[in-house]
Amino acid sequence: MREVVFRVLAERPGHLDAQAETLPIRITAPTLEELQHEAREALIEHFGPAHCAYRVRVRRGPSAAVSSLRPEGRPAALCR
């Protein structure tokens, strides 16, 4: 499984901006959980069905990983 790392560029109350480190994908969301969801949606749009081969990781600081889990409530059946 490959990994796409999204680095948080700006963090204000109710607003997070992130950029994929290796892809031309930029996302925004009000919470970290929604940022994770937006990252997955962006991969679906970018890669189509191949998005299942990628794990999303969000980093806030220079080296601290925030999450590498699939967002809750997202059915695994999407990756068949």
Side-chain angles (χ1 to χ4, degrees):
M1 179 175 282
R2 291 175 249 171
E3 179 176 271
V4 176
V5 177
F6 285 83
R7 181 152 324 269
V8 175
L9 303 174
E11 187 171 359
R12 295 181 306 275
H15 185 82
L16 298 167
D17 278 325
Q19 170 76 42
E21 291 183 344
T22 58
L23 297 169
I25 300 174
R26 189 170 181 137
I27 55 175
T28 61
T31 66
L32 188 58
E33 182 177 315
E34 290 183 44
L35 190 72
Q36 189 81 16
H37 174 76
E38 290 298 321
R40 177 61 52 195
E41 292 294 319
L43 288 179
I44 290 170
E45 188 174 316
H46 188 79
F47 289 113
H51 77 278
C52 294
Y54 291 85
R55 175 176 44 184
V56 172
R57 185 173 300 256
V58 177
R59 294 186 191 271
R60 278 185 164 154
S63 63
V66 175
S67 177
S68 62
L69 302 175
R70 180 183 305 269
E72 288 186 28
R74 302 282 299 166
L78 291 175
C79 292
R80 288 187 183 178

